[in-house]
């Protein structure tokens, strides 16, 4: 089993409380005898590598490598070796008190052989530092520029590559050590006892603390938070766990390829813990769950992935692929654990307020709590699982101010353009439910003033209009997790390379319409020249290693390939994929499907991006795709530069591969054809996801897919998107998950599997998301209750695209009408038959290219239950329900009946009401044998406001002889906050039903 050590630097130097003999170096007959001497003074230093999320992974017999940063140079190596011998310490595990021996690492021996100084550099963020003799050790990296400046401003200036004999680890055996034990414990100015004479400002922990302190957090944010059995515990900091600059050394005894776990896009957001306490309901009736009980709390999903990866013997290394949280200024409530039981709906609305960017406008939001939560998870993982954790940055790791659960860039009105429309679905909630949970500031978007300034200084000042990205805030990530923006870690049989997102994002393109004006943000800084230099150096040395060549795993947050949501896996399996455009209604699809551009665009007019690489990188594309990936593969079909490329960002699980076609869809453009599937079963050679289809004459031919395997992981916290067969026109969902990759004895991929979190997406949310996003409906419907209508839906300014108009022609509920009901002269209403008809989408099929047949997408689904809810008066909060009796089961078309009594109640209390107090709840079902049951949760209903219109039939145009009812969904996403508060007592601990 692996063992985790922590290494740290003690300064001022603490010598043992015993008589110390200063022994000069002497030699006798060429043999070195008892040469370990004690320095009279210590020096300040910081351990740059290993770091908390760029650990040192070593085999049982490996030496120990590190990169040390000091405030001075040394006239000879001996001076530095002596100080390392006495000031560098090791302890087992990542503990808060850090017990250590006051003695040296080595008591006897030749320091020049036990402690090797391999290289020396001036501190620079541009330098690629490397461990080992000649830079051929187990680590290379480039510092983040913020961290390089931080240390330089503190007076540190020189970096040394150091290699230690592994006998240094014997110094942690305190019980058998002749030297007294001390503890390296730090504390803030809060009265906590310092157990060692450590108060020097040069101490690495204090340098980093000064750079990351948040006065609004408990104990200035320098203590971890408690990790419960299922989630983080927001509230008082855990005073047992100071947030130290840990430097993990993981001794892994395996001399074989290591299994890799990947956790992408975790988006830990503490506000969800607060929203989960809400007792509001869309329909205040015992049938309906509270909106709080429906909230997907991302931190709980992340805890599940940590636990599963930790207990899985096939996972040896864990990677966190960026986007630790939604934003840096996040919800934090010190009294949450004691106060939450008394929260009213109104109290939660007040806690969540976002009125402006000032402290007064967002009083309950403070910087870095979510980052501290992830740090707390990772530290526990090190100590419990004994496995290393690596991490890179994503774009959200520099987002400054909080935004609402349904952010609206244009206005807060009904139907206005939203930013990231999928956020309620990320929460596993309908838009109405999510808005009801948060309150009136649901649509707020705050652009950081510093983010605007940063964006305006870059080459694309258009970004300033939506500037949430503030690069200064990356200081916390790089101070407490790792100072390394880009790195290469050499494992026993693999090389793990991580590249940072960069210091800006591009989410608005006024000159490139292929991905739309507002698109999934791209990384303008990826891949920089320095990142390319790191890649080329590692790849070149790896090729030169011959038989000792290792498999390379590259990890980035930005994508290499990522299809726009509407493109289904089944579509990319078409033999005609890449050869023709099958959707002529869509003017955005200018070229055949599946192509991404690797260098210049059409006729060489600058970079161009397609709807098949959403969220990609912008620099050095030709050198990455052509020089590093495609050309070597063409020269030798077995030569794959990268075995795996791990990505995230778009929250949609897939494995992409690059094909060998030479033909470009645009003259003058270098490009590559990409295909897409869900994770293949590598152990089953008959799994068709391991191949792709081409058409040669009248024959369908299977071709083997080839590496690199470009893995796009699901989002590990939010509910991710899924589109297997085109379901919901691309707006389907899946379970939050991580990814596990195992390797065979040749370090080639043996399996790629999702690590799921036991939270299925609600089918009701998928229906709601499809209804709002794909079927917005006619403008007249959207304008009910004072709403406005968006002018654009993913297309150019001035109107929707033809494709969008085709898809928006109907509502999800096409009609819900009764048949003719005779009027009873006695005043009672007869039983009434109803027909519920859903969107024609639910009759659609997909082409199974393996079997060559069309199959229904929605087979096995049904509408299982319907219930109408109403109040008896406009001022009443009590809601009553009317059940529909099922006559015939179906999905697109189903038959229902209201009894005579039920129809009379509906006519008396619900029909014609206009006070937004009439609701319908729809429960869906699925056959146990259908794939739908495996993916979706059908336990909770789809709930929404409805209108009930009554039309009368007349005899000879005069006498009323019958009537018909039509129940229609009111197209509103925003609840009636004031009316609900009055009717349901939202200022009470338990609202009225």
């Amino acid at each position: 089993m692996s063992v985790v050590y922590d290494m740290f630097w003690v300064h001022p130097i603490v010598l043992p409380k015993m008589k110390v003999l200063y022994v000069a170096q002497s030699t006798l007959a060429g043999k070195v005898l008892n040469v370990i001497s004690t320095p009279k003074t210590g020096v300040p230093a910081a351990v740059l590598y290993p770091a908390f999320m760029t650990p040192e992974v070593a085999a049982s017999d490996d030496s120990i490598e590190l990169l040390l940063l000091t405030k001075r140079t040394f006239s000879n190596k001996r001076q530095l070796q002596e100080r390392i011998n006495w000031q560098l310490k090791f302890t087992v595990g990542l503990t808060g008190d850090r017990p250590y021996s006051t003695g040296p690492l080595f008591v006897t021996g030749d320091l020049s052989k036990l402690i090797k100084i391999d290289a020396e550099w001036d501190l620079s963020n541009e330098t690629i530092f490397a461990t080992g003799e000649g830079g051929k050790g187990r680590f290379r990296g480039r510092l983040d520029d913020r961290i390089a400046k931080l240390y330089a401003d503190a007076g540190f200036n020189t970096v040394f590559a150091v290699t230690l004999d592994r006998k240094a680890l014997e110094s942690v055996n305190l019980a058998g050590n002749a030297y007294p034990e001390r503890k390296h414990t730090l504390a803030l100015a809060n009265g906590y006892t310092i157990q060692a004479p450590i108060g020097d400002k040069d101490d690495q922990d204090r340098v980093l603390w000064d750079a990351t302190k948040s006065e609004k957090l408990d104990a200035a944010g320098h203590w971890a938070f408690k990790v419960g059995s299922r989630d983080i515990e927001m509230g008082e900091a855990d005073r047992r766990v100071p947030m130290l600059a840990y430097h993990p050394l993981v001794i892994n005894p395996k001399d074989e390829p290591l299994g890799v776990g990947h956790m992408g896009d975790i988006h830990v957001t503490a506000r969800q813990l607060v929203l989960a306490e809400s007792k509001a309901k869309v329909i205040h009736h015992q049938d309906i769950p509270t909106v709080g009980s429906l909230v997907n709390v991302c931190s709980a999903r992340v805890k599940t992935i940590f636990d599963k990866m930790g207990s899985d013997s096939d996972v040896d290394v864990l990677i966190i692929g960026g986007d630790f949280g939604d934003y840096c200024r996040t919800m934090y409530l010190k009294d949450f654990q004691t106060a939450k039981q008394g929260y009213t709906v109104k109290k939660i609305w007040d806690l969540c307020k976002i009125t402006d960017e000032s402290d007064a406008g967002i009083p309950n939001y403070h910087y870095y709590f979510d980052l501290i939560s992830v740090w707390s998870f990772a530290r526990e993982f090190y100590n419990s699982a004994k496995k290393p954790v690596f991490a890179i940055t994503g774009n959200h790791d520099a987002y400054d101010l909080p935004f609402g659960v349904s952010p609206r860039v244009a206005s807060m009105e009904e139907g206005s353009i939203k930013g990231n429309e999928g956020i309620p679905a990320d929460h596993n909630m309908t838009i109405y439910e999510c808005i009801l949970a948060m309150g009136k500031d649901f649509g707020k978007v705050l652009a950081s003033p510093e983010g605007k300034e940063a964006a305006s200084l870059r080459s694309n000042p258009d970004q300033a209009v939506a500037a949430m990205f503030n690069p200064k805030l990356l200081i916390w990530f790089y101070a407490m997790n790792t100072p390394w923006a880009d790195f290469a870690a050499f494992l026993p049989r693999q090389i793990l390379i991580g590249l940072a997102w960069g210091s800006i994002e591009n989410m608005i393109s006024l000159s490139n319409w292929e991905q739309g004006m507002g698109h999934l943000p791209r990384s303008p800084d990826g891949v920089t020249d320095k990142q390319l230099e790191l890649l080329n150096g590692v790849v070149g040395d790896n090729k030169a290693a011959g038989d000792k060549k290792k498999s390379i795993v590259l990890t980035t947050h930005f994508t290499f390939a990522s299809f726009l949501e509407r493109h289904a896996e089944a579509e990319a399996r078409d033999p005609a994929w890449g050869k023709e455009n099958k959707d002529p209604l869509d003017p955005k699809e200018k070229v055949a499907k599946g192509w991404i551009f690797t260098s210049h665009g059409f006729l060489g007019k600058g970079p161009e991006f397609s709807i098949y690489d959403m969220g990609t990188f912008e620099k050095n594309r030709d050198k990455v795709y052509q020089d590093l990936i495609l050309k070597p593969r063409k020269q030798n079909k077995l030569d794959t530069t990268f075995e795996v490329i791990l990505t995230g960002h778009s929250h949609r699980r897939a494995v992409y591969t690059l094909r060998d076609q030479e033909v470009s869809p645009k003259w003058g453009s270098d490009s590559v054809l990409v295909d897409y599937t869900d994770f293949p079963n590598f152990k089953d050679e008959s799994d068709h996801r391991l191949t792709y289809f081409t058409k040669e004459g009248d024959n369908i031919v299977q071709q083997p897919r080839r590496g690199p395997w470009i893995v796009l992981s699901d989002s590990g916290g939010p509910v991710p998107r899924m589109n297997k067969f085109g379901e919901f026109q691309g707006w389907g969902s899946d379970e939050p998950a991580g990814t596990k990759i195992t390797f065979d004895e040749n370090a080639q991929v043996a399996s790629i599997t999702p690590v799921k979190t036991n939270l299925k997406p609600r089918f009701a949310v998928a229906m709601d998301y499809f209804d709002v996003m794909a079927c917005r409906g006619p403008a007249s419907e959207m304008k009910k209750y004072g709403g406005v209508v968006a002018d654009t839906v993913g297309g150019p300014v001035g109107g929707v695209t033809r494709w969008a108009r085709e898809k928006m022609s109907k509502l999800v509920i096409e009609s819900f009408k009764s048949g003719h009901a005779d009027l009873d002269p006695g005043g009672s209403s007869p039983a009434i038959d109803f027909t519920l008809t859903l969107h024609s989408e639910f009759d659609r099929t997909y082409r199974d290219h393996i079997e060559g047949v069309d199959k229904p997408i929605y087979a096995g689904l049904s509408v299982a239950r319907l219930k109408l809810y109403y109040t008896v008066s406009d001022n009443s909060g009590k809601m009553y329900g009317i059940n529909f009796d099922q006559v015939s089961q179906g999905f697109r078309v189903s038959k229902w009946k209201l009894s005579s009594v039920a129809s009379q109640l509906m006519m008396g209390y619900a029909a014609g009401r206009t006070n937004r107090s009439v609701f319908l709840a729809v429960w869906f079902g699925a056959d146990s044998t259908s794939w739908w049951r495996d993916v979706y949760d059908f336990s909770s209903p789809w709930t929404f406001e409805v209108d009930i219109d009554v039309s009368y039939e007349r005899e000879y145009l005069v006498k009323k002889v019958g009537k018909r009812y039509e129940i229609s969904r009111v197209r509103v996403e925003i609840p009636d906050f004031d009316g609900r508060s009055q009717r349901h007592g939202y200022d009470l601990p338990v609202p009225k039903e």
Side-chain angles (χ1 to χ4, degrees):
M1 183 169 178
S2 296
V3 180
V4 176
Y5 296 90
D6 179 28
M7 67 176 76
F8 51 95
W9 190 263
V10 174
H11 181 254
I13 191 169
V14 179
L15 296 175
K17 293 182 178 179
M18 58 190 297
K19 186 177 181 181
V20 178
L21 297 177
Y22 293 89
V23 182
Q25 180 172 328
S26 62
T27 60
L28 179 64
K31 296 181 180 179
V32 179
L33 302 174
N34 196 25
V35 298
I36 304 304
S37 59
T38 305
K40 295 181 180 180
T41 60
V43 296
V47 178
L48 289 179
Y49 169 80
F52 185 54
M53 291 192 184
T54 44
E56 160 92 326
V57 181
S60 299
D61 57 352
D62 283 336
S63 55
I64 301 165
E65 300 176 355
L66 65 146
L67 292 168
L68 195 67
L69 176 62
T70 73
K71 280 194 168 185
R72 53 165 288 186
T73 58
F74 296 87
S75 58
N76 60 69
K77 291 182 179 180
R78 177 71 184 194
Q79 291 178 327
L80 179 58
Q81 289 164 339
E82 289 176 351
R83 284 161 175 81
I84 292 173
N85 193 38
W86 285 91
Q87 291 186 258
L88 185 67
K89 306 297 181 181
F90 289 88
T91 190
V92 177
L94 307 187
T95 68
D97 55 4
R98 285 176 161 169
Y100 70 94
S101 166
T102 53
L105 296 178
F106 307 101
V107 177
T108 61
D110 185 349
L111 278 188
S112 66
K113 294 179 179 178
L114 298 171
I115 303 175
K116 297 179 180 179
I117 311 301
D118 297 310
E120 177 181 345
W121 303 270
D122 290 335
L123 176 65
S124 168
N125 63 300
E126 295 297 321
T127 301
I128 294 178
F129 301 103
T131 61
E133 186 177 355
K136 305 300 182 183
R138 291 192 299 275
F139 181 83
R140 303 178 194 182
R142 186 184 64 83
L143 290 172
D144 173 70
D145 55 1
R146 282 154 287 266
I147 289 296
K149 184 177 186 303
L150 174 68
Y151 280 118
D153 289 347
F156 291 90
N157 51 32
T158 308
V159 178
F160 294 94
V162 180
T163 300
L164 301 176
D165 189 288
R166 65 176 302 100
K167 291 180 181 178
L169 295 179
E170 296 174 3
S171 66
V172 303
N173 183 15
L174 300 178
N177 201 303
Y179 295 88
E181 174 187 344
R182 297 296 296 261
K183 292 186 177 180
H184 188 68
T185 301
L186 302 178
L188 303 175
N190 57 7
Y192 276 73
T193 303
I194 297 175
Q195 295 176 281
I198 300 169
D200 196 289
K201 65 181 180 179
D202 292 322
D203 184 274
Q204 183 175 12
D205 295 303
R206 294 193 181 279
V207 170
L208 299 181
W209 279 6
D210 287 344
T212 60
K213 62 185 178 183
S214 174
E215 300 299 341
K216 301 294 183 180
L217 288 183
D218 186 28
H222 291 146
W223 301 87
F225 290 98
K226 294 178 181 178
V227 177
S229 60
R230 296 183 178 180
D231 202 351
I232 201 75
E233 294 184 7
M234 177 163 60
E236 290 278 354
D238 188 347
R239 301 306 178 95
R240 300 166 301 173
V241 186
M243 294 189 62
L244 305 176
Y246 287 127
H247 308 286
L249 163 64
V250 182
I251 303 296
N252 190 315
K254 294 182 180 180
D255 184 19
E256 60 189 52
L258 303 183
V260 174
H262 183 245
M263 192 188 305
D265 299 271
I266 56 180
H267 289 274
V268 169
T269 306
R271 186 170 62 197
Q272 294 169 336
L273 294 167
V274 179
L275 298 180
E277 299 299 321
S278 178
K279 299 175 180 63
K281 296 182 176 183
V282 176
I283 302 169
H284 280 272
H285 190 277
Q286 61 185 8
D287 294 345
I288 307 301
T290 64
V291 293
S293 68
L294 301 173
V295 176
N296 167 35
V297 180
C298 292
S299 54
R301 309 284 80 75
V302 172
K303 178 64 165 64
T304 299
I305 297 177
F306 268 115
D307 289 346
K308 287 190 173 184
M309 296 287 194
S311 61
D312 191 333
S313 60
D314 289 333
V315 175
D316 302 294
V317 175
L318 180 60
I319 302 169
I320 306 177
D323 280 5
F324 279 42
D326 273 349
Y327 30 73
C328 290
R329 183 161 180 171
T330 184
M331 179 73 75
Y332 171 65
L333 303 170
K334 183 176 179 179
D335 64 347
F336 179 70
Q337 298 300 328
T338 57
K340 63 182 179 181
Q341 297 301 325
Y343 283 173
T344 65
V345 175
K346 185 179 182 302
K347 174 66 174 177
I348 290 175
W349 290 354
D350 290 341
L351 291 172
C352 292
K353 280 183 178 178
I354 307 172
T355 56
D356 57 54
E357 66 272 15
S358 68
D359 286 346
I362 41 178
N364 300 307
Y365 295 80
H366 310 298
Y367 285 103
Y368 306 133
F369 173 80
D370 294 332
L371 288 167
I372 296 174
S373 296
V374 179
W375 189 97
S376 303
F377 282 139
R379 176 191 171 276
E380 182 192 64
F381 181 83
Y382 269 111
N383 286 332
S384 60
K386 308 293 192 296
K387 298 177 183 180
V389 180
F390 291 87
I392 56 172
T393 51
N395 57 316
H396 276 261
D397 297 316
Y399 276 20
D400 192 342
L401 301 174
F403 43 79
V405 294
S406 185
R408 311 200 172 208
V409 176
S411 73
M412 297 277 279
E413 298 297 332
E414 202 76 50
S416 65
I417 300 174
K418 293 175 285 296
N420 197 338
E421 302 90 339
I423 289 177
D426 291 344
H427 286 63
N428 215 17
M429 305 174 79
T430 68
I431 295 178
Y432 195 107
E433 290 165 346
C434 207
I435 290 175
L436 180 59
M438 180 174 173
K440 293 182 179 180
D441 285 342
F442 66 90
K444 275 288 187 183
V445 178
L446 300 177
S448 163
E450 289 188 338
K452 286 183 178 181
E453 178 184 359
S456 65
L457 295 175
R458 299 298 292 255
S459 58
N460 190 354
D462 303 316
Q463 300 302 309
V465 301
M468 293 177 282
F469 193 104
N470 181 0
K472 292 182 179 179
L473 296 176
L474 287 170
I475 187 66
W476 197 101
F477 184 100
Y478 287 117
M480 301 312 302
N481 291 323
T482 174
W484 302 100
D486 313 304
F487 63 85
F490 290 71
L491 307 177
R493 300 285 301 282
Q494 298 138 301
I495 304 171
L496 174 61
I497 302 177
L499 301 182
W501 171 272
S503 293
I504 195 173
E505 66 177 13
N506 183 336
M507 62 187 301
I508 297 176
S509 294
L510 300 181
S511 59
N512 187 310
W513 289 104
E514 184 73 11
Q515 293 187 348
M517 184 182 76
H519 50 77
L520 185 68
R522 296 191 297 264
S523 170
D525 282 349
V527 174
T528 63
D529 290 344
K530 284 296 176 182
Q531 289 177 327
L532 185 64
E533 179 185 348
L534 177 67
L535 284 175
N536 283 331
V538 173
V539 170
D541 288 350
N542 194 44
K543 287 182 178 180
D547 293 341
K548 295 183 179 180
K549 179 180 176 182
K550 297 184 177 185
S551 175
I552 299 179
V553 177
L554 172 63
T555 182
T556 66
H557 182 73
F558 50 75
T559 67
F560 277 65
S562 177
F563 291 177
L564 193 66
E565 287 86 350
R566 70 171 181 266
H567 289 291
E569 176 185 349
E571 182 183 0
R573 309 300 284 154
D574 192 323
W577 182 253
K579 295 182 179 179
E580 57 183 285
N581 177 7
K582 286 196 170 184
D583 195 352
L585 286 176
D586 186 1
K588 292 175 71 176
E589 290 221 39
K590 305 171 186 175
V591 299
K593 295 181 178 181
W595 293 88
I596 61 177
F597 305 105
T598 63
S599 59
H600 50 79
F602 184 50
L603 298 178
K605 294 182 179 178
E608 187 160 351
F609 308 96
S610 76
I611 53 178
Y612 305 102
D613 60 353
M614 306 295 290
T616 190
F617 61 99
E618 297 188 3
K619 291 183 177 178
N620 288 311
R621 292 174 64 81
D622 54 338
K623 295 180 175 61
V624 173
Y625 281 105
Q626 299 293 338
D627 296 347
L628 284 178
I629 299 176
L630 296 175
K631 288 180 181 178
R633 199 171 72 172
K634 290 175 184 177
Q635 294 168 359
N636 180 354
K637 290 189 176 182
L638 299 178
D639 190 356
T640 301
T641 303
F642 306 109
E643 178 68 14
V644 176
I645 300 176
L646 279 170
T647 68
H649 193 34
S650 67
H651 298 204
R652 185 189 184 193
R653 184 177 72 239
V655 168
Y656 295 96
T657 51
L658 311 178
R659 296 192 186 176
D660 292 329
Q661 279 85 342
E662 300 287 343
V663 179
S664 171
K666 287 186 177 183
W667 180 82
S669 299
D670 291 333
S671 54
V672 62
L673 179 59
V674 182
D675 57 35
Y676 151 64
T677 69
D678 199 351
F679 293 172
N681 183 354
F682 286 79
K683 297 178 182 179
D684 181 2
E685 293 182 359
S686 66
D687 188 341
H688 293 283
R689 290 171 296 186
L690 293 169
T691 63
Y692 63 91
F693 302 97
T694 60
K695 191 171 183 180
E696 298 179 7
D698 295 331
N699 298 321
I700 304 298
V701 179
Q702 292 189 56
Q703 308 281 2
R705 299 174 75 188
R706 300 170 54 201
W709 301 97
I710 302 173
V711 178
L712 201 159
S713 286
D714 278 324
S715 45
V719 173
R721 305 284 74 83
M722 182 176 72
N723 182 2
K724 293 178 70 67
F725 309 110
E727 62 272 17
F728 301 113
Q729 295 180 5
W731 299 108
S733 294
D734 200 3
E735 190 171 337
T739 300
K740 178 176 75 172
I741 305 175
T742 63
F743 298 81
D744 63 19
E745 63 276 9
N746 298 315
Q748 296 178 336
V749 171
S751 69
I752 305 176
T753 54
V755 180
K756 298 196 171 183
T757 58
N758 309 321
L759 179 91
K760 290 183 177 180
R762 294 167 56 215
F763 188 82
V765 173
M767 290 291 283
D768 185 76
Y769 197 29
F770 172 60
D771 193 38
V772 172
M773 294 310 306
C775 308
R776 289 174 182 259
S780 59
E781 186 69 19
M782 292 294 287
K783 286 184 177 178
K784 284 190 176 183
Y785 301 102
V788 297
V789 185
D791 289 329
T792 63
V793 181
V797 174
V800 298
T801 65
R802 291 175 60 195
W803 179 87
R805 281 198 292 269
E806 288 289 317
K807 304 303 183 186
M808 288 165 44
S809 59
K810 296 177 182 178
L811 306 176
V812 164
I813 297 181
E814 193 171 292
S815 66
F816 188 17
K817 295 180 180 180
S818 75
H820 173 89
D822 291 329
L823 287 176
D824 188 331
S828 62
S829 296
I832 307 172
D833 293 323
F834 279 82
T835 300
L836 175 64
T837 305
L838 302 182
H839 195 287
S840 58
E841 160 74 17
F842 302 116
D843 281 336
R844 197 158 62 86
T845 61
Y846 76 96
R847 184 73 173 175
D848 188 319
H849 301 293
I850 299 171
E851 299 181 13
V853 297
D854 291 337
K855 293 183 177 180
I857 295 174
Y858 300 93
L861 292 173
S862 62
V863 179
R865 182 184 172 197
L866 291 176
K867 193 167 184 178
L868 191 71
Y869 297 86
Y870 63 93
T871 59
V872 296
S873 69
D874 288 353
N875 296 323
S876 172
K878 188 172 180 59
M879 303 205 74
Y880 300 87
I882 301 173
N883 282 303
F884 287 82
D885 298 321
Q886 194 169 70
V887 176
S888 66
Q889 190 182 70
F891 186 50
R892 194 195 171 205
V893 179
S894 55
K895 303 289 186 180
W896 305 84
K897 182 186 288 292
L898 281 182
S899 67
S900 175
V901 174
S903 64
Q904 190 168 354
L905 289 172
M906 184 186 71
M907 184 62 189
Y909 295 110
R913 294 282 290 277
T914 59
N915 71 337
R916 300 186 64 179
S917 61
V918 182
F919 294 83
L920 186 69
V922 185
W923 283 264
F924 299 97
D927 294 344
S928 59
T929 57
S930 72
W931 72 274
W932 292 98
R933 175 64 65 180
D934 294 334
V935 174
Y936 284 92
D937 173 13
F938 292 87
S939 62
S940 57
W942 187 23
T943 53
F944 45 83
E945 298 181 22
V946 294
D947 281 341
I948 303 177
D949 295 325
V950 184
S951 59
Y952 290 93
E953 295 187 356
R954 300 174 183 272
E955 188 177 65
Y956 306 116
L957 303 179
V958 177
K959 182 181 178 182
K960 295 180 180 179
V961 295
K963 56 188 174 184
R964 295 179 185 272
Y965 296 98
E966 181 171 6
I967 302 175
S968 58
R969 181 184 179 190
V970 177
R971 294 300 300 259
V972 292
E973 305 164 22
I974 304 172
D976 175 14
F977 292 111
D978 294 336
R980 283 175 163 274
S981 294
Q982 295 170 7
R983 288 193 294 270
H984 300 297
Y986 278 0
D987 58 346
L988 301 175
V990 180
K992 296 181 292 185
E993 289 190 351

